[in-house]
Amino acid sequence: MVNDIHKQRNIGISAHIDSGKTTLTERILYYTNKIFAIHEVKGKDGVGATMDSMELERERGITIASAATHCEWNGHRINIIDTPGHVDFTIEVERALRVMDGAVLILCSVGGVQSQSITVDRQMNRYKVPRIAFINKCDRSGADPYRVVDQLRMKLNHNAVLLQIPIGLEAKFHGVVDLVSMRALYFDGPHGEEIRSEDIPDHILKDAEEKREELLEAASMFSDELMEAIFDDTVNEDLICNALRTATLSRKLTPVFVGSAYKNIGVQTVLEGVNKYLPDPTEVVNTALDLDHNEDEVTLQSDPDLPLVALAFKLEVTPYGQITYLRVYQGSMSKGDNLTITRTRKKLKVGRLIRMHAGEMEDITKADAGDIVALFGVECRSGDTFTDGELTCSMSSMFVPEPVISLTVKPVDKKSQNYMSKALNRFTREDPTFRSYVDEESHETIISGMGELHLEVYVERMKREFNAEVVTGIPQVAYREAITKMVSFDYIHKKQTGGSGQFGRVAGFMEPSDNGTYEFVNEVKGGSIPTEYLSSVDKGFQSCFTKGKLIGFPVLGMKITVNDGKAHSVDSSEKAFVAAAIGAFRQAYLKAKPIILEPVMKVNVEGPSEFQGNVMSSINQRRGIITSSTEDGVFTAIEADVPLAEMFGYATSLRSLTQGKAEFTMEFARYAKVPEALAEDLKLQIREKSKGNR
Ligand SMILES: Nc1nc2c(ncn2[C@@H]2O[C@H](COP(=O)(O)OP(=O)(O)OP(=O)(O)O)[C@@H](O)[C@H]2O)c(=O)[nH]1
Ligand SMILES: [Mg+2]
């Protein structure tokens, strides 16, 4: 096992759906001797790819949950997370990128930069992840990696530079020219495991030289040494690699590789690229908040001898215990160590420390800074920070998108009821974008998530993994409420008849928030509300957000300022101030002119240009606004913002409008006000429904 931290890589593999992430990972595992046979996603042998270990993933041929594995290549140890491409499972990409040091962005040589490539790229930017790009599927008809490089530049604003050019394309694609070594590489043997290096064939020598010039010019911007060597004609491979490494780490250049994972062409060179150009853990800045010192930001060092700081970024609840995926940022942890969870200050012992290989666990005894491992059998939440008790610090959390769609689920009998609650308990713990609650009025269980597929997968898993037979309702839009006016409140909660009484007065004002998040401002002077009760006031207000008074949907953030109040020396309590805040909220909320907000989706439709008119009118009919449309003579890509409420059943109508030749993807863009006329209808509908439930 390699122990040198400079030879450690943590990489995420992310991209648009179906671009070949799992297929690429399967090859990587094969070439690094982690697995001894290659199985295809949806392959004829019916086994399925290693990383798609869930039954449902194998059946559908899509990745649903991200999976971690590790391998060794050329003296480097590489931890890999293969993520799903479908937007409904975007949280899986989010948490992988949160903890990875580098990433491989895969693109399809035919589809190019697609809507989800843009989303994934944005996520990589959010966590400042340096990446290399791999243009896959060069064997497909219509493959044009050069066009994809242009799109990387134009659409994603990358300084994308080809490190390779393809030898042949489509059915004739059979190797790559490495522009750094100026050698032609072919991948022989039954699975491309034997690399044959030859002189560049004459017919592409000129192209290769031209592209190498471009590569040298781009790389030399990051190295004076290389620049000089170019003038003196003393360029060597090391100089180029060093310059490219500096450039990639600073995220100012994206090296581009080409190949075909399926046809086993070029995969090893991507692995080589991971080693050469992506950062080791010491080359990435990671910070935590020091709770002992005013939440000051401290930079963590990938040093195993310093106090431990680790982040739980994903968990899986199994019947035998919880698997908690951890990234160790500083220090080290060993089997038998005592750890502290910063949030709860709870202590726990490391029973089993493991390394994950898709669905399998391998026991280990120690993990050092820079590594990605898992704990088995401890209880914690996703996003928790672990320390060895020496530091009290917390790592910043990751971005969690709000659910946009909900569904009622009804168990068919008592037994299923039991199983269903077990399943929901597990899913909601594992996936922060999946929520479930019981509606107080209708007593129905409602699940909500990121899209139809997201909910469908969980309903299916309830049946398969938990034996819970459920009947589902029609998907509903997850509306939100938000106030639009500033209003003041002044409320006294008083119960002073008999026994110990309750007393609390809360005064202040509520106003719309600028950024949609909740903010609680304390401007109480002279202790009119004693400090110890302020958190109860805050808690009381927050408890009102789960169900707004307008249509009963959650309230989006607002700013609440409390500037006055009153307490009673005997009758005031935390409970009394929670109640006072709830009273104050009720007093002011409807006066603050709440409106209904609906999720608006970014919709992307791609298909043959002959159907452009049909597609556009289908979007217009759905209250959509077309934001861009690009056409290359054959294919048209249309981007639009469309309210989710109008998108149910769109797959079916698009199919019939375009003879099944167009595809669409959508993801949440923002909340927007529901037009007045529709809002009235909605209020009526919801009122009718709740009457029916009584
Ligand atoms: N022709 C061709 N097909 C490929 C290539 N790589 C992958 N595929 C096929 O593309 C399909 C999708 O591949 P996956 O590896 O599942 O793609 P993915 O990116 O993991 O998909 P999700 O995880 O669902 O987002 C499968 O049928 C693969 O066999 C390639 O290089 N060439
Ligand atoms: Mg996959």
Side-chain angles (χ1 to χ4, degrees):
M1 188 66 56
V2 188
N3 255 336
D4 180 355
I5 193 158
H6 300 298
K7 295 196 166 169
Q8 166 92 44
R9 298 288 178 274
N10 294 310
I11 58 158
I13 299 189
S14 305
H16 190 86
I17 188 158
D18 258 5
S19 49
K21 299 173 288 294
T22 304
T23 306
L24 177 80
T25 313
E26 187 81 0
R27 272 43 183 193
I28 291 180
L29 293 178
Y30 182 77
Y31 298 138
T32 58
N33 296 324
K34 273 303 280 189
I35 56 173
F36 300 101
I38 290 177
H39 296 289
E40 303 297 351
V41 172
K42 278 207 138 169
K44 289 198 187 76
D45 61 7
V47 178
T50 313
M51 300 303 274
D52 285 348
S53 60
M54 197 192 298
E55 187 183 87
L56 210 54
E57 291 181 321
R58 294 194 168 184
E59 263 177 43
R60 297 195 176 207
I62 56 166
T63 305
I64 292 169
S66 62
T69 186
H70 58 98
C71 60
E72 278 190 40
W73 180 255
N74 240 346
H76 289 64
R77 201 169 78 200
I78 310 174
N79 286 316
I80 300 174
I81 296 187
D82 170 29
T83 65
H86 197 286
V87 272
D88 282 15
F89 311 115
T90 192
I91 186 69
E92 293 289 71
V93 182
E94 199 73 37
R95 47 187 167 198
L97 295 176
R98 166 73 182 82
V99 296
M100 292 322 228
D101 301 320
V104 180
L105 174 67
I106 304 190
L107 299 135
C108 170
S109 68
V110 183
V113 172
Q114 291 166 285
S115 59
Q116 186 64 1
S117 327
I118 300 173
T119 307
V120 165
D121 190 65
R122 202 181 318 127
Q123 289 172 308
M124 290 179 180
N125 286 339
R126 176 150 48 229
Y127 300 108
K128 301 195 171 67
V129 181
R131 60 272 216 186
I132 59 177
F134 176 56
I135 303 178
N136 189 31
K137 302 199 185 183
C138 286
D139 61 304
R140 269 186 65 188
S141 83
D144 185 353
Y146 296 108
R147 187 179 68 104
V148 184
V149 173
D150 284 341
Q151 291 180 345
L152 274 169
R153 293 179 183 145
M154 304 299 289
K155 290 193 177 178
L156 297 183
N157 226 348
H158 279 228
N159 177 14
V161 178
L162 277 167
L163 262 53
Q164 303 175 329
I165 60 168
I167 305 176
L169 272 176
E170 304 182 333
K172 293 196 185 118
F173 177 57
H174 60 288
V176 301
V177 172
D178 175 0
L179 300 173
V180 178
S181 64
M182 285 305 261
R183 299 289 296 167
L185 305 176
Y186 303 93
F187 303 82
D188 297 341
H191 303 289
E193 55 270 70
E194 291 156 27
I195 302 175
R196 176 163 48 92
S197 160
E198 288 190 359
D199 289 341
I200 301 172
D202 286 343
H203 70 280
I204 50 168
L205 188 58
K206 204 168 146 277
D207 279 351
E209 281 168 348
E210 229 171 68
K211 292 290 172 206
R212 179 173 157 103
E213 282 302 308
E214 282 180 26
L215 164 66
L216 288 180
E217 195 181 315
S220 64
M221 295 296 155
F222 300 88
S223 158
D224 293 341
E225 240 183 309
L226 178 62
M227 184 94 78
E228 276 170 32
I230 294 174
F231 278 123
D232 303 344
D233 208 10
T234 53
V235 174
N236 63 40
E237 278 184 43
D238 282 350
L239 280 178
I240 306 176
C241 287
N242 290 343
L244 285 174
R245 180 172 181 80
T246 311
T248 312
L249 295 192
S250 66
R251 296 187 298 122
K252 291 190 176 131
L253 184 149
T254 308
V256 182
F257 297 78
V258 297
S260 162
Y262 188 68
K263 292 280 167 71
N264 309 313
I265 301 175
V267 175
Q268 294 94 327
T269 58
V270 175
L271 269 173
E272 209 52 64
V274 167
N275 289 356
K276 280 189 181 143
Y277 308 119
L278 291 180
D280 73 50
T282 65
E283 290 168 308
V284 179
V285 178
N286 289 297
T287 57
L289 303 178
D290 185 349
L291 304 188
D292 285 337
H293 295 96
N294 258 337
E295 302 202 356
D296 281 350
E297 205 170 81
V298 285
T299 302
L300 302 174
Q301 308 289 342
S302 302
D303 180 345
D305 299 325
L306 290 173
L308 172 80
V309 181
L311 174 73
F313 63 94
K314 172 183 163 91
L315 42 97
E316 250 173 69
V317 186
T318 75
Y320 313 103
Q322 179 174 313
I323 302 172
T324 308
Y325 289 72
L326 282 185
R327 160 82 198 242
V328 185
Y329 282 97
Q330 181 174 284
S332 66
M333 66 167 74
S334 299
K335 209 175 144 164
D337 279 359
N338 285 312
L339 305 182
T340 307
I341 300 177
T342 301
R343 180 178 52 85
T344 55
R345 312 282 151 116
K346 229 175 88 182
K347 285 199 167 45
L348 52 93
K349 205 180 181 82
V350 180
R352 278 182 74 188
L353 192 60
I354 50 185
R355 208 181 276 295
M356 296 302 294
H357 170 48
E360 293 164 21
M361 301 186 241
E362 298 163 7
D363 279 272
I364 52 170
T365 51
K366 185 166 183 266
D368 284 338
D371 212 346
I372 295 202
V373 290
L375 292 175
F376 186 77
V378 303
E379 297 240 326
C380 69
R381 283 201 205 152
S382 174
D384 268 340
T385 305
F386 284 75
T387 66
D388 50 11
E390 277 198 46
L391 296 173
T392 312
C393 59
S394 167
M395 301 213 46
S396 60
S397 57
M398 61 201 117
F399 173 76
V400 178
E402 283 288 312
V404 291
I405 176 171
S406 62
L407 197 68
T408 56
V409 283
K410 213 181 263 166
V412 294
D413 53 26
K414 195 94 196 133
K415 222 160 79 196
S416 286
Q417 164 86 50
N418 240 334
Y419 294 149
M420 182 181 89
S421 31
K422 270 202 189 124
L424 291 179
N425 184 12
R426 167 175 162 186
F427 298 152
T428 47
R429 264 173 65 194
E430 286 183 357
D431 180 351
T433 58
F434 178 74
R435 319 257 168 94
S436 101
Y437 68 96
V438 177
D439 186 90
E440 277 170 30
E441 280 154 25
S442 65
H443 302 292
E444 283 172 325
T445 301
I446 294 168
I447 57 174
S448 52
M450 303 306 296
E452 282 177 277
L453 181 65
H454 192 204
L455 298 186
E456 193 186 313
V457 160
Y458 278 122
V459 168
E460 188 64 35
R461 288 182 63 189
M462 268 190 233
K463 289 182 188 159
R464 289 181 189 216
E465 295 167 32
F466 292 84
N467 268 327
E469 280 298 326
V470 298
V471 182
T472 54
I474 300 163
Q476 297 284 330
V477 172
Y479 291 102
R480 289 286 183 273
E481 301 182 12
I483 58 167
T484 56
K485 244 185 89 187
M486 185 199 266
V487 169
S488 56
F489 49 78
D490 187 348
Y491 187 83
I492 299 177
H493 173 72
K494 191 157 78 170
K495 262 193 192 155
Q496 289 172 312
T497 46
S500 65
Q502 287 185 34
F503 183 89
R505 175 182 158 233
V506 173
F509 51 92
M510 62 170 65
E511 62 193 307
S513 124
D514 297 333
N515 53 8
T517 55
Y518 168 64
E519 198 185 341
F520 180 74
V521 182
N522 164 24
E523 282 182 5
V524 175
K525 293 199 184 67
S528 56
I529 298 178
T531 326
E532 72 248 45
Y533 295 135
L534 280 167
S535 65
S536 307
V537 174
D538 184 3
K539 208 162 99 192
F541 281 122
Q542 288 200 47
S543 72
C544 300
F545 295 157
T546 49
K547 202 162 178 175
K549 289 278 155 223
L550 191 62
I551 53 165
F553 277 90
V555 180
L556 217 60
M558 63 174 73
K559 184 172 166 188
I560 291 185
T561 308
V562 175
N563 54 18
D564 202 4
K566 202 171 173 192
H568 183 278
S569 57
V570 180
D571 291 345
S572 279
S573 61
E574 286 177 3
K575 203 168 131 202
F577 272 100
V578 168
I582 295 175
F585 186 87
R586 289 191 179 151
Q587 183 189 55
Y589 185 68
L590 287 177
K591 289 186 204 147
K593 296 254 177 308
I595 50 166
I596 306 175
L597 302 176
E598 63 179 345
V600 171
M601 310 301 279
K602 188 176 212 38
V603 175
N604 208 291
V605 190
E606 287 177 19
S609 299
E610 56 190 292
F611 303 112
Q612 188 177 6
N614 286 356
V615 172
M616 286 198 168
S617 62
S618 75
I619 288 172
N620 289 332
Q621 280 161 11
R622 288 177 165 71
R623 291 196 280 132
I625 293 168
I626 292 166
T627 50
S628 90
S629 138
T630 45
E631 212 221 308
D632 64 3
V634 191
F635 262 88
T636 301
I638 297 169
E639 261 181 36
D641 288 350
V642 192
L644 175 63
E646 308 285 339
M647 287 302 289
F648 292 124
Y650 189 61
T652 319
S653 39
L654 186 67
R655 212 172 294 137
S656 65
L657 281 176
T658 63
Q659 298 164 11
K661 289 181 186 155
E663 278 176 17
F664 86 100
T665 55
M666 65 173 175
E667 65 180 301
F668 174 71
R670 61 176 183 283
Y671 277 103
K673 186 180 169 193
V674 172
E676 222 57 75
L678 289 176
E680 286 311 313
D681 284 354
L682 206 62
K683 279 187 225 165
L684 267 178
Q685 263 176 36
I686 288 166
R687 226 168 282 149
E688 286 301 312
K689 184 166 175 263
S690 66
K691 258 192 228 155
N693 283 327
R694 256 177 227 142

